[in-house]
Amino acid sequence: MTVGSDTYMPKSKTPKMDDLDYIPADLSPEERSELEEIRRRKGVLLQEIQRLREELREAIIEVEGLEASTEGSKTLQKSRHVAMGRKKFNMDPKKGIVFLVENELLRHTPEDIAQFLYKGEGLNKTAIGDYLGERDDFNIKVLQAFVDLHEFTDLNLVQALRQFLWSFRLPGEAQKIDRMMEAFAQRYCHCNPGVFQSTDTCYVLSFAIIMLNTSLHNPNVRDKPSVERFISMNRGINDGGDLPEDLLRNLYESIKNEPFKIPEDDGNDLTHTFFNPDREGWLLKLGGRVKTWKRRWFILTDNCLYYFEYTTDKEPRGIIPLENLSIREVEDPRKPNCFELYIPNNRGQLIKACKTEADGRVVEGNHMVYRISAPTPEEKDEWIHAINSAVSVDPFYEMLAARKKRISLKKKEEQP
């Protein structure tokens, strides 16, 4: 390309000092040699820096991997300790709590332990009830915190009881039940001020509802109470006054239409039940319909007599609740060392019990008395003593009568 008579040449780039190939023309041979050495060392340093960067990056990745692995290991170990703590709690509630606290999985405060029991993940509902029912000052504080986690606002009494009794299983001891129901009554009245005149009213009516549930839905109870009878039974419990009939009718219908659901424990429950029995051993039992003697392995625990076909069986062939039963020595022409379980003042009703048939069906027992033979006179006496210690009268009736009596005395003292 020509412009006029001159040939056009593109301008060359201005050379820069950091250009590795550029050497200024005015440098002496010594300066040129020194510049080349500087550039060589710079190149070596840049390579070394790049190598260090790569090593640092690899080290960071390795450290992060180790941290993740360590964190995962810690999480796994914590999960194992929590699972072990739950198992220990199901076998022995106090030892389970101690284990969890010592391993820093639970703080030893009533609020934290109450929250742990309230969530109930993997916990045996019977064990929860046993722990909450203890009379130690600390356990009572845990019970109070546990009850306070329940929200009963705007629930009628049956709805509140359904929620409360689903969170654990009521223990069998009267004193434990009394403390737990007292705490429930106080919480319900706090959430619903003005519904009842006092917590005593709520307490008494709660027990009346629980007994109504048993009477209406237990097949062994033949005399089912009517709504009129339920209303009559609860006259005067509201600080001497009567509760509204509509309220009592609604509570009655709610229980009649839907019984309380009893929380079922997992497979560990049988292990928990039979882990530390009051007594166990081989006995002979006389059949109900077919009067033959059969050798069975008996376990006495939790106010019940369980019997198994073999000691290795996981589930019992039969269960005899000892509630309201009595025991006596008897003579039998065929077997020595006999005793009987029976209902005092029996008018022909069968003992409340159940058994498992050969085909796996669970059916009601068919005994007006249970006749049992021990191997020796000494074992007979030991079994009678152990069963007598375990036989209990339904605590609800006794506690309800005691509370009504207390209310009555209180009213008399207040009268001029």
Side-chain angles (χ1 to χ4, degrees):
M1 184 182 209
T2 61
V3 178
S5 60
D6 297 326
T7 301
Y8 174 78
M9 297 292 290
K11 292 182 180 179
S12 61
K13 286 174 59 179
T14 303
K16 295 181 179 178
M17 285 298 293
D18 59 355
D19 197 342
L20 292 176
D21 295 329
Y22 172 71
I23 297 176
D26 56 347
L27 293 180
S28 66
E30 292 81 4
E31 288 173 332
R32 287 190 177 198
S33 177
E34 188 176 347
L35 177 61
E36 289 173 355
E37 179 63 20
I38 289 171
R39 285 176 172 169
R40 187 188 65 77
R41 281 185 291 170
K42 179 181 177 182
V44 172
L45 287 172
L46 287 173
Q47 289 177 353
E48 183 68 16
I49 289 169
Q50 184 61 30
R51 185 183 66 79
L52 290 172
R53 279 179 176 166
E54 289 295 323
E55 286 186 5
L56 182 60
R57 187 179 66 83
E58 290 175 4
I60 289 171
I61 292 172
E62 187 175 345
V63 167
E64 287 176 347
L66 285 171
E67 287 177 350
S69 175
T70 303
E71 195 63 33
S73 178
K74 286 180 180 177
T75 303
L76 181 61
Q77 186 177 19
K78 181 179 178 181
S79 298
R80 286 175 177 169
H81 274 119
V82 170
M84 189 180 298
R86 287 173 179 155
K87 285 184 178 180
K88 286 181 179 290
F89 178 89
N90 291 341
M91 301 301 292
D92 187 319
K94 285 191 174 182
K95 288 182 180 177
I97 295 296
V98 168
F99 176 86
L100 291 166
V101 170
E102 286 179 348
N103 285 275
E104 298 181 354
L105 301 169
L106 191 63
R107 290 195 304 162
H108 194 256
T109 66
E111 293 74 20
D112 278 54
I113 294 174
Q115 188 71 241
F116 171 71
L117 300 179
Y118 183 75
K119 288 180 179 177
E121 296 175 7
L123 299 183
N124 182 296
K125 295 289 181 78
T126 304
I128 294 174
D130 286 341
Y131 185 84
L132 291 172
E134 292 294 337
R135 64 180 180 180
D136 295 349
D137 289 342
F138 185 80
N139 290 68
I140 291 172
K141 289 177 182 176
V142 174
L143 170 63
Q144 190 60 59
F146 179 86
V147 175
D148 287 346
L149 290 170
H150 288 270
E151 183 51 65
F152 298 138
T153 303
D154 296 330
L155 298 182
N156 69 35
L157 191 57
V158 169
Q159 291 170 328
L161 280 169
R162 288 190 197 282
Q163 178 184 320
F164 185 59
L165 297 177
W166 183 252
S167 60
F168 65 96
R169 293 184 80 169
L170 274 174
E173 296 89 334
Q175 290 182 340
K176 287 186 177 183
I177 296 172
D178 179 64
R179 280 191 292 274
M180 298 167 92
M181 296 307 296
E182 181 73 48
F184 166 80
Q186 290 175 359
R187 176 63 177 168
Y188 184 84
C189 290
H190 174 79
C191 292
N192 299 279
V195 173
F196 300 114
Q197 291 291 329
S198 68
T199 56
D200 280 335
T201 304
C202 182
Y203 176 100
V204 170
L205 186 56
S206 297
F207 272 111
I209 289 169
I210 292 172
M211 290 191 296
L212 174 68
N213 179 78
T214 302
S215 299
L216 290 178
H217 299 289
N218 188 328
N220 292 317
V221 178
R222 292 182 174 84
D223 184 17
K224 307 294 183 186
S226 64
V227 63
E228 288 76 18
R229 183 171 155 196
F230 179 68
I231 292 170
S232 175
M233 286 169 58
N234 290 289
R235 293 198 189 282
I237 67 170
N238 198 23
D239 269 8
D242 292 343
L243 291 165
E245 280 200 14
D246 286 347
L247 169 68
L248 295 175
R249 286 182 183 276
N250 288 337
L251 297 177
Y252 178 94
E253 290 300 322
S254 178
I255 288 296
K256 182 180 179 182
N257 294 331
E258 184 184 356
F260 285 133
K261 291 180 180 178
I262 305 301
E264 294 293 335
D265 283 315
D266 58 20
N268 292 329
D269 189 40
L270 282 178
T271 305
H272 172 73
T273 300
F274 304 132
F275 182 70
N276 189 24
D278 299 322
R279 186 168 179 81
E280 59 185 337
W282 289 106
L283 297 169
L284 294 174
K285 181 185 78 68
L286 186 61
R289 289 188 181 88
V290 182
K291 300 299 180 182
T292 56
W293 292 88
K294 291 185 178 178
R295 190 169 183 257
R296 295 287 182 253
W297 178 258
F298 278 79
I299 289 181
L300 174 63
T301 186
D302 289 344
N303 294 333
C304 282
L305 198 57
Y306 302 83
Y307 58 89
F308 302 76
E309 191 168 357
Y310 305 103
T311 56
T312 53
D313 288 349
K314 291 184 177 180
E315 295 187 6
R317 287 295 302 271
I319 305 173
I320 309 168
L322 300 175
E323 192 175 284
N324 301 320
L325 295 184
S326 293
I327 187 169
R328 62 193 173 197
E329 290 187 55
V330 292
E331 296 291 332
D332 189 278
R334 292 173 293 173
K335 298 292 178 184
N337 314 314
C338 289
F339 58 90
E340 277 184 347
L341 294 169
Y342 68 100
I343 303 173
N345 304 315
N346 189 2
R347 297 180 179 177
Q349 69 261 44
L350 296 174
I351 290 177
K352 180 175 64 176
C354 66
K355 66 174 183 175
T356 305
E357 296 284 30
D359 59 5
R361 290 180 300 115
V362 177
V363 299
E364 290 182 49
N366 191 44
H367 289 261
M368 292 178 62
V369 297
Y370 277 89
R371 180 165 292 191
I372 296 169
S373 170
T376 66
E378 292 76 22
E379 288 185 72
K380 177 196 69 175
D381 293 340
E382 289 168 1
W383 273 104
I384 290 175
H385 176 75
I387 292 173
N388 262 325
S389 300
V391 166
S392 66
V393 176
D394 191 335
F396 290 104
Y397 293 94
E398 292 183 348
M399 284 187 291
L400 189 55
R403 184 57 66 100
K404 284 185 174 180
K405 185 177 180 181
R406 194 173 89 181
I407 295 171
S408 176
L409 291 172
K410 187 178 176 183
K411 291 298 293 181
K412 287 181 181 178
E413 289 172 0
E414 291 173 353
Q415 291 175 354

